[in-house]
Amino acid sequence: LLYRIREPRSSIHFFQFSQPRKYQTKAPQILSRFGEQDGRRIDISSMLRDDLLNIKLDEVQTVDRRDQFSLFVPKHHRAANKLLEIFLGLKSVDDLMAFAAYARERVNPALFAYAYSAALLHRPDTKNLMLPPVSEIFPHNFVDAQTIAEAKESADILSSPSDRVAIEIPQDLTGNDRDMEHRLAYFREDLGINLHHWHWHLVYPLDGPTAVVTKDRRGELFYYMHHQVLARYNVERMCNGLDMVKRLEWDEAIEEAYFPMLNSDVSGRDWPSRPANLRLTDINRPDLQLSFSIDDLKRYEERIYEAIHRKVALDANGQNIELLNEQGIDVLGNMVEASILTPNADYYGNLHNMGHSAIAYIHDPKFQYIQSAAVMSETMTAMRDPVFYRWHKVIDQLFVEHKHTLTPYTAEELTFGGIQVTGLEVCSYNDQQICRQDRNVLQTYFMRSDIDMSRGLDFTPRGPILVRVTHLSHDEYAFTIRVNNTTGRRVIGTVRIFIAPVVNNKRLPTTLAEQKTLMIELDRFAAELSPGASTIVRRSIDSGVTIPFKQIFRDLNANRPDDDSYREFDSFNYCGCGWPHHMLLPKGSRGGFDMELFVMISDYSQDKVQGNGEPALGECKTGMIICGLKDKFYPDRKPMGYPFDRAIRTGVNTLQNFMTPNMFSVPVRIMHDDQVRLGQVLADQSVSIKDLNQD
Ligand code: CUO
């Protein structure tokens, strides 16, 4: 139901029941096409009982089929929530399938995809199904209109899929080097990054039945996931010789423009562009029942700062909520976003979501030109626009301000008695899986990989329709951490690995206060520490931040049979949420970009979360640092970002001074190779750690 989302997909009986009138004459033709090719037919009409047909879709249909759906617009998320509630309330999978097939052709496709995907993720009887990457549902939101036109053309002419070649997307698609911001296009427009963002917001919806929205530390995770995005983006900017992101100022023109060059799957029109130097202005869109002023947003921001400084928020009944504790960040996350868990929607408003809307409608704030929303309105496209990061800086500053009201960790609190880290080294593997001679040097490069759009292109011939994208990637690596355990017994530690630049954007040595905001968390995992000296080896491919490469791209080396089976990606491993593995490391630079690699081992007996049980077979654990664990508690009791989440204790200005014996750091250099490599599947199983152990 998520594929070819505009094409009717139903049995002939179903059409008699449900086909919207305008398709009726076309139905037999479409049916014969599907009739020949679909292996299995489901007679939905017999499943669609009267009680299902009597379910009202009126509220869901307040969003027109051609409207640009936006989760950040209350009218839209209420409508999506209604459909989600209906899907969640259906008694069986058969009912869900029948009703979803019925609803699919009657509601907005993007709204449908969101509500149906969220329902599949959250229903007990479907939650183990794997969702396809949203780039395969809505390829137009990821691939430019020209490339899609070419790919469709080639599919029309070359009806045998094996004759088709991948259409390559040029790297300088949405700009050129006259625009400095274009240097970061490879990050902002990365397929995996945008997929991650969509999936994250699907796992953590801001509205919906309480059981779906209420997840362990979801407000805190809203802060931390986006905080990490900002750290990564800032470091990436430094690698490219740019200053760090400035916050978006309410009354200043926005210098950075964005021209997405995408066609929207839903509205059928181009995604609107945002020329340089537009200013935020009051929004009054009767089509969306959306009306607010920029002064409203300023007021919400001030009130949230007031709560942070008073260390107490007010709930809807005027009662105090303490913020000066480890739960404060969670309350703030829900307040700032705002999700329906906000303690006081009237007073603290809906800052983050309305900010997205203020930017998304900046080109037509009064609905004078009947323009739909720009990319900032949609979680699967928002991260393409440079203004996304400027807006999220406004949001992140609130959280950082709050974190700085908490007492800094003392050296004693950070220590793990009897545990010393005595060494840290990273070894990068070359093509032959051999550890490079020059230790502590990491290697990145650009690579070309294919994605298949055929599942998302309506009314096109069958078989793969491949598009070739260029994306950052890196040689895989492994850390070796040497530990001395003088406790005399076996203990378990939580290993926390971060990387941060050594110099700031003015090429001056960073203070720890600066470095702290740029700490990228690379991994976090539990490890056994036997008494005496021991060594922990950890591979990059096991990182708890990322999801594997093969979940996003096609294997270019694989055989390509002509049938659909080629396109069955590795669904058993597909978890969806998680930073794309190919973007794990910052790009570095040709001459080498110097960073500091940091490891801390904390006491797992203090960090362990009770009540998560043993991991279930096939459980998604990928990306858990920024996505949490499905239906479980966040797998670490420490505040997210620990030990760099709070201000640094007084008297400490450098990472060296910050360190207690259970920490260690080494300088590392990230080299970037300009030559683009042709796609291969990253060696995610084949990295051998034997040579490291011998070492
Ligand atoms: Cu993820 Cu602003 O929250 O987009």
Side-chain angles (χ1 to χ4, degrees), residues 72 197 201 222 226 352 356 388 392:
F72 301 121
H197 191 231
H201 282 278
F222 173 79
H226 291 91
H352 158 265
H356 268 270
F388 173 91
H392 267 275

Side-chain angles (χ1 to χ4, degrees), residues 317 388 409 642:
N317 303 316
F388 173 91
Y409 302 112
Y642 179 83

Side-chain angles (χ1 to χ4, degrees), residues 130-345:
M130 305 300 171
L131 295 174
V134 72
S135 52
E136 296 197 349
I137 308 174
F138 295 115
H140 291 86
N141 287 347
F142 296 84
V143 176
D144 72 287
Q146 230 169 30
T147 304
I148 289 198
E150 259 185 70
K152 272 188 155 180
E153 210 173 279
S154 102
D156 276 335
I157 298 167
L158 305 166
S159 53
S160 162
S162 54
D163 292 341
R164 297 177 198 160
V165 290
I167 309 292
E168 194 159 324
I169 305 182
Q171 249 183 310
D172 284 337
L173 183 77
T174 53
N176 59 31
D177 288 337
R178 292 179 178 196
D179 171 26
M180 302 241 280
E181 295 296 323
H182 182 64
R183 294 183 200 168
L184 267 291
Y186 70 88
F187 181 98
R188 292 189 305 260
E189 293 173 357
D190 183 80
L191 182 78
I193 287 182
N194 285 286
L195 290 181
H196 158 70
H197 191 231
W198 183 77
H199 212 104
W200 191 95
H201 282 278
L202 193 65
V203 179
Y204 295 98
L206 60 92
D207 193 355
T210 321
V212 167
V213 182
T214 312
K215 295 208 170 94
D216 185 40
R217 294 165 72 180
R218 61 114 33 227
E220 183 179 6
L221 202 51
F222 173 79
Y223 140 71
Y224 189 58
M225 192 281 281
H226 291 91
H227 179 80
Q228 280 291 299
V229 164
L230 217 52
R232 286 179 169 276
Y233 189 63
N234 272 323
V235 174
E236 210 69 43
R237 292 178 71 85
M238 291 172 71
C239 293
N240 287 283
L242 295 181
D243 284 347
M244 280 184 246
V245 175
K246 292 182 298 196
R247 68 169 261 143
L248 185 69
E249 295 298 344
W250 298 115
D251 301 311
E252 284 176 17
I254 306 170
E255 289 163 48
E256 303 86 350
Y258 187 63
F259 293 80
M261 311 224 185
L262 299 174
N263 193 254
S264 159
D265 285 276
V266 176
S267 71
R269 298 178 182 161
D270 289 342
W271 278 96
S273 296
R274 194 174 54 69
N277 297 317
L278 294 187
R279 283 167 193 273
L280 290 174
T281 166
D282 300 348
I283 300 290
N284 183 4
R285 300 266 315 204
D287 59 319
L288 305 163
Q289 296 160 12
L290 187 66
S291 172
F292 61 87
S293 70
I294 299 305
D295 282 345
D296 291 338
L297 299 189
K298 291 182 192 171
R299 213 165 12 248
Y300 296 146
E301 189 193 25
E302 271 166 27
R303 288 174 182 173
I304 298 169
Y305 270 117
E306 184 192 58
I308 291 167
H309 295 145
R310 288 181 56 225
K311 304 173 179 77
V312 168
L314 291 175
D315 74 10
N317 303 316
Q319 301 294 310
N320 286 345
I321 306 170
E322 290 291 327
L323 297 177
L324 205 57
N325 51 39
E326 285 191 354
Q327 291 72 45
I329 185 72
D330 196 46
V331 175
L332 271 179
N334 286 314
M335 180 199 283
V336 171
E337 188 181 0
S339 78
I340 53 164
L341 303 179
T342 176
N344 193 342

